[in-house]
Amino acid sequence: MRVRCGVPPILALLALFFHPTPHAVLSAGSSFPTAAGSATADLPPVFLATWGTNGTAERQFARPGGVAMDRDGNVYVADTDNHRIQKLDSQGNFLRMWGWGVDTGSIAFEVCSGSCLAGISGSGNGQLDEPHGLAVNSLGMVYVADTNNHRIQVFTQNGAYLSHWGANGTDEAKFKDPWGVAIDASDNIFVADQGNHRIQKFDNTATFVMAWGWGVDDQTEIFQVCTSQCYKGDPGTGAGQFTLPASLAVDSSDNVYVADTGQSRIQKFDATPAYLTLWGSLGSGSLQYWQPHGIAVDYYGSVHVADTGNHRIKVHDSSGGLRVIWGTAGADPGKFHTPGGLAVDERGHVLVADTQNHRIQKFGPAFDVFVGEEALLPGR
């Protein structure tokens, strides 16, 4: 048996059990990870790094609400109260930021690479007002939920402004406090239209495709899908009904998972989008949530949820079965204060926007105990 990096197998094995990951709780039926599944095994990930403090300089944040990664591992942060987007490399080194006034303080759109400033909130092209969710498509285009402007803005991976769509309203392609954005393998765009209690889908040209929720087609008190002349959704507790949905994610089979924040639960839909299942309720138990805000699906189909009010991260299988809970309230590494958005890359690294701690935390997958290094996913 060959060992890389000079790490004996027994030491790699021990690292899985003794690496400091605060207050991890394993689900019932937890098992030791296999090499093939170690990226999402029923053990909590290990803490790797924390980036940021409260402030306005580069790599400082003010209540960051969302985080996303591109195919090269670069990290994009919705620096919410600084009204700007920051781009970091995979190790957390600052690359650039964009928004109005971030470079010189001018009342104009700017990109900054050093000695940066807080953004100036407003509604101009490229100007942001408390952005939250963001996502990156296969071409590197960055889609940002510009929440208080009730629109989606689009930028290049280097920060150049491209376009935007949306306005405050209840018709299709209009929004009320949009919060989360997700993109599927075909670059279709999904938006958690939070204040309208519905989900909207757009194709890769940002053309409206459909909306779903209760009453969105004709205001009847049932689950509906609408393709034109749509209404806002009716909030509530029914299957397929939303109350202030904040985030969503799409898996490799085009199933859509929604953080139904106001109901403290997760709902799952297929691509049509037919309602499939839901799990969770309000509380702090192992099968409960307190207003979850972030959600992501990894390579293996595991669903990662930022259980915001409980200051922890939960991982489920695709049917809602609990796999692991990790984190607790606090400011130490591996602890959280109202975590918001999260992202998972193809190697199983997890990034969490630790919102009220004004930082991003990075966690790594389990180690491959047979080679002493991070396990690569199949085909990588």
Side-chain angles (χ1 to χ4, degrees):
M1 177 175 60
R2 184 162 56 96
V3 177
R4 301 181 192 174
C5 304
V7 181
I10 187 61
L11 295 183
L13 176 62
L14 292 173
L16 287 172
F17 291 99
F18 295 108
H19 195 290
T21 301
H23 299 272
V25 180
L26 298 183
S27 63
S30 298
S31 59
F32 189 79
T34 64
S38 58
T40 56
D42 294 341
L43 287 171
V46 293
F47 171 79
L48 295 179
T50 181
W51 310 327
T53 57
N54 190 9
T56 60
E58 53 270 24
R59 224 176 77 131
Q60 290 186 320
F61 307 104
R63 288 198 325 112
V67 62
M69 287 181 275
D70 65 21
R71 290 185 170 183
D72 297 321
N74 296 306
V75 179
Y76 302 81
V77 180
D79 190 0
T80 302
D81 281 2
N82 281 325
H83 313 291
R84 63 190 185 184
I85 305 301
Q86 294 202 53
K87 181 179 180 180
L88 314 174
D89 68 18
S90 62
Q91 302 305 309
N93 299 303
F94 175 77
L95 297 176
R96 61 183 54 85
M97 68 170 66
W98 58 88
W100 274 40
V102 297
D103 190 41
T104 67
S106 298
I107 310 299
F109 180 74
E110 296 182 324
V111 178
C112 178
S113 58
S115 301
C116 302
L117 305 170
I120 300 168
S121 64
S123 58
N125 290 345
Q127 194 171 22
L128 300 162
D129 192 344
E130 295 192 6
H132 281 89
L134 70 174
V136 186
N137 75 3
S138 64
L139 301 177
M141 297 164 61
V142 183
Y143 293 77
V144 179
D146 187 8
T147 303
N148 287 353
N149 283 319
H150 314 288
R151 65 186 182 182
I152 305 299
Q153 296 211 59
V154 190
F155 303 87
T156 70
Q157 60 188 343
N158 292 320
Y161 167 78
L162 293 176
S163 64
H164 73 264
W165 78 92
N168 191 2
T170 60
D171 297 338
E172 59 268 22
K174 291 186 178 181
F175 307 103
K176 177 65 175 177
D177 303 323
W179 198 277
V181 185
I183 296 175
D184 68 14
S186 300
D187 284 340
N188 295 304
I189 306 143
F190 299 78
V191 179
D193 189 3
Q194 185 181 52
N196 283 324
H197 314 291
R198 65 187 181 186
I199 304 303
Q200 294 199 60
K201 178 182 178 179
F202 303 85
D203 69 17
N204 58 15
T205 68
T207 300
F208 174 78
V209 176
M210 66 179 74
W212 70 89
W214 272 40
V216 297
D217 190 47
D218 62 12
Q219 298 185 299
T220 302
E221 291 297 299
I222 57 174
F223 176 74
Q224 296 182 324
V225 177
C226 176
T227 57
S228 66
Q229 298 181 331
C230 302
Y231 296 91
K232 70 177 182 179
D234 181 55
T237 61
Q241 193 171 22
F242 305 111
T243 302
L244 301 173
S247 186
L248 70 175
V250 187
D251 69 15
S252 60
S253 299
D254 294 329
N255 297 304
V256 180
Y257 301 81
V258 179
D260 188 7
T261 305
Q263 297 297 339
S264 296
R265 64 187 184 180
I266 305 303
Q267 297 203 59
K268 179 181 179 180
F269 303 83
D270 69 17
T272 60
Y275 164 81
L276 295 177
T277 189
L278 62 81
W279 64 85
S281 61
L282 178 63
S284 57
S286 62
L287 299 178
Q288 294 180 305
Y289 297 99
W290 201 286
Q291 297 185 346
H293 275 74
I295 189 167
V297 182
D298 67 21
Y299 180 95
Y300 293 98
S302 294
V303 183
H304 302 245
V305 181
D307 188 5
T308 305
N310 285 320
H311 314 290
R312 64 190 183 183
I313 307 300
K314 298 175 70 175
V315 183
H316 300 265
D317 64 28
S318 61
S319 297
L322 181 64
R323 300 192 63 182
V324 66
I325 304 172
W326 47 284
T328 188
D332 294 334
K335 295 184 179 182
F336 305 104
H337 189 344
T338 59
L342 52 79
V344 185
D345 72 11
E346 292 182 343
R347 293 183 66 109
H349 298 107
V350 182
L351 292 179
V352 180
D354 190 7
T355 303
Q356 295 292 354
N357 279 326
H358 312 287
R359 66 187 181 185
I360 304 299
Q361 294 203 66
K362 182 177 182 179
F363 300 83
F367 285 86
D368 181 344
V369 299
F370 297 104
V371 297
E373 64 178 16
E374 289 174 7
L376 287 173
L377 302 183
R380 291 266 166 209

